[in-house]
Amino acid sequence: MDSTYILLQHYWWFLVSLLGALLVFLLFVQGGQSLLFTIGKTEIQQKMLLNSTGRKWEFTFTTLVTFGGAFFASFPLFYSTSFGGAYWVWMLILLCFVIQAVSYEYQAKKGNLLGKKTYQVFLMINGIAGPILLGTAVATFFNGAEFIVNKEQLTDVAMPVISTWANPWHGLEAALVFWNLCLGLAVFFLARALALLYFINNIDDPEIVAKSRKQLIPETILFLVFFLTFLIRLLLVDGFAVNPDTGEVFMQPYKYFMNLIEMPIVLAVLLIGVVGVLFGIGKTIFSKTWRKGIWFAGAGTVLTVLALLLCAGWNNTAYYPSLADLQSSLTIQNSCSSPFTLKVMSYVSILVPFVLAYIFYAWRALDLHKINSKEMQEGGHTY
């Protein structure tokens, strides 16, 4: 295979992994929604919480769409297999994000038919279901899913479908696998912990800040329990390896652990990310005046998730293993776009740093002044 083509495949898996990592960080918006009635005890406090996360929900939604679009363009076979086969999971995730958008825009409008409380319950549902479902879906990158790929079937006039799902649950069965659910719950509690750090940084209200610091302890403990359970098992389990010469997929002992050893830079990124998350949370808990934990924990989250996703796809690893037919497993080699497509998209990706710079600028502009009760009472554009 052309070395340039191989480089492009790895480059686009890196970009997709980076978008996925950014998405996991931005799920603090969903985490904040799930804490609405836990941290906000009065109406004005709930309004401050809603506006704190409400001014960022567009970033999360846009990143989700961009993540899906990048996957579709660079690895179309994954898109058709997962999004076309496990459609119940992805439909539920999209539904969660749709009701989020509707709820933020209509919950404060006068005369809405469902009432303010109903829309806040919708936000709670999105805050709980969204991170768990996304985490569960990502866990299938390591634990596999039940699908079969038959490229020869594309010539079948009656049913030209390459990928078929091996059971009638179409992705929902992944939520019943304990190890998938471990990562889903880890993402959920991480999103809540990041939301608490963001409240501490973004809201000027002593009571909310004090409650957030207190709530941060149990959320962090639960996150560590589920994350470490998933991570330790991942490092010890047999992984889905690929023979680079034949493309054959086989089970290799300690595959993901060996990936980290054989890719020391990825291992370093993982360790730095974990330390960043623990430092951001730990210093916030032990220092009653420090409010910048979200930046360390947020950056650490991005690095940690990035490293895990790189382990799933790089170093001759099947990033979407098939439990129904091992040889149907997807790799970055057998599921990617053509060399021409990847090359053209690579030119477009040069614009990514400029987009990130604009997002950073917009973020800073929105957070220029901390949210307080006076701003909520004075009116203006509030959720």
Side-chain angles (χ1 to χ4, degrees):
M1 186 180 293
D2 182 20
S3 59
T4 302
Y5 192 23
I6 295 175
L7 178 63
L8 288 171
Q9 291 167 350
H10 284 76
Y11 172 70
W12 273 100
W13 182 255
F14 170 80
L15 287 185
V16 168
S17 299
L18 180 59
L19 287 170
L22 290 171
L23 176 60
V24 173
F25 160 61
L26 290 170
L27 287 178
F28 78 83
V29 173
Q30 277 63 35
Q33 294 164 15
S34 70
L35 292 163
L36 179 60
F37 300 113
T38 303
I39 303 300
K41 297 303 181 182
T42 65
E43 185 175 351
I44 193 67
Q45 286 180 344
Q46 292 173 2
K47 191 171 184 179
M48 282 190 283
L49 296 175
L50 283 173
N51 278 269
S52 179
T53 56
R55 296 173 184 180
K56 299 295 186 298
W57 75 262
E58 292 97 336
F59 291 117
T60 311
F61 188 81
T62 301
T63 304
L64 175 65
V65 174
T66 306
F67 172 72
F71 233 141
F72 170 71
S74 54
F75 301 98
L77 187 54
F78 167 80
Y79 195 88
S80 64
T81 300
S82 182
F83 287 73
Y87 52 77
W88 282 122
V89 172
W90 294 110
M91 287 295 290
L92 286 174
I93 291 173
L94 288 174
L95 177 62
C96 288
F97 278 85
V98 169
I99 64 173
Q100 170 190 247
V102 173
S103 299
Y104 271 123
E105 294 301 326
Y106 287 96
Q107 60 101 15
K109 291 187 180 296
K110 295 181 179 180
N112 68 71
L113 296 176
L114 299 179
K116 183 176 182 178
K117 187 66 68 175
T118 301
Y119 286 113
Q120 290 180 346
V121 171
F122 284 165
L123 289 174
M124 284 281 294
I125 293 173
N126 175 56
I128 296 172
I132 293 177
L133 288 173
L134 274 171
T136 301
V138 171
T140 60
F141 286 7
F142 304 96
N143 299 322
E146 299 188 21
F147 62 90
I148 298 174
V149 175
N150 183 5
K151 294 184 179 181
E152 294 180 358
Q153 195 168 321
L154 188 61
T155 59
D156 187 344
V157 178
M159 189 177 178
V161 178
I162 296 177
S163 307
T164 56
W165 212 253
N167 64 63
W169 293 95
H170 291 285
L172 292 179
E173 75 281 353
L176 302 178
V177 178
F178 174 76
W179 301 112
N180 291 343
L181 198 56
C182 268
L183 185 59
L185 290 172
V187 172
F188 170 65
F189 288 113
L190 174 62
R192 287 166 66 92
L194 292 174
L196 292 168
L197 293 173
Y198 186 69
F199 291 154
I200 293 170
N201 177 263
N202 184 244
I203 299 177
D204 185 14
D205 184 271
E207 189 175 351
I208 287 180
V209 170
K211 288 180 180 177
S212 296
R213 291 185 188 277
K214 183 178 180 181
Q215 187 66 31
L216 188 58
I217 298 175
E219 302 297 338
T220 302
I221 292 174
L222 289 170
F223 158 66
L224 289 175
V225 167
F226 288 109
F227 177 71
L228 291 177
T229 299
F230 175 84
L231 182 61
I232 292 172
R233 187 256 180 181
L234 180 67
L235 298 178
L236 299 178
V237 75
D238 293 352
F240 299 84
V242 183
N243 186 320
D245 298 321
T246 64
E248 178 188 3
V249 180
F250 62 96
M251 302 305 297
Q252 178 180 330
Y254 309 109
K255 172 59 177 172
Y256 300 106
F257 174 75
M258 294 306 299
N259 279 358
L260 291 175
I261 298 300
E262 293 170 3
M263 298 187 294
I265 294 179
V266 175
L267 175 60
V269 170
L270 176 65
L271 294 177
I272 293 172
V274 171
V275 170
V277 172
L278 296 178
F279 175 78
I281 294 174
K283 187 167 182 180
T284 302
I285 292 174
F286 292 108
S287 175
K288 300 303 180 183
T289 58
W290 201 61
R291 306 180 68 164
K292 297 180 180 180
I294 183 62
W295 301 117
F296 290 90
T301 297
V302 173
L303 293 177
T304 301
V305 177
L306 174 62
L308 289 176
L309 291 177
L310 292 179
C311 272
W314 280 4
N315 200 39
N316 299 314
T317 310
Y319 71 84
Y320 199 43
S322 172
L323 301 177
D325 175 27
L326 191 60
Q327 300 312 313
S328 291
S329 301
L330 303 187
T331 69
I332 62 174
Q333 288 81 21
N334 68 15
S335 64
C336 66
S337 295
S338 67
F340 175 78
T341 301
L342 293 182
K343 186 178 294 186
V344 171
M345 291 196 306
S346 297
Y347 295 140
V348 177
S349 70
I350 297 174
L351 298 175
V352 169
F354 297 98
V355 175
L356 292 176
Y358 173 75
I359 292 174
F360 177 77
Y361 170 78
W363 186 296
R364 292 283 295 177
L366 289 171
D367 283 356
L368 194 58
H369 302 288
K370 296 185 184 299
I371 292 175
N372 54 50
S373 57
K374 181 180 179 181
E375 179 187 356
M376 298 298 100
Q377 293 169 343
E378 287 178 348
H381 179 66
T382 58
Y383 291 107

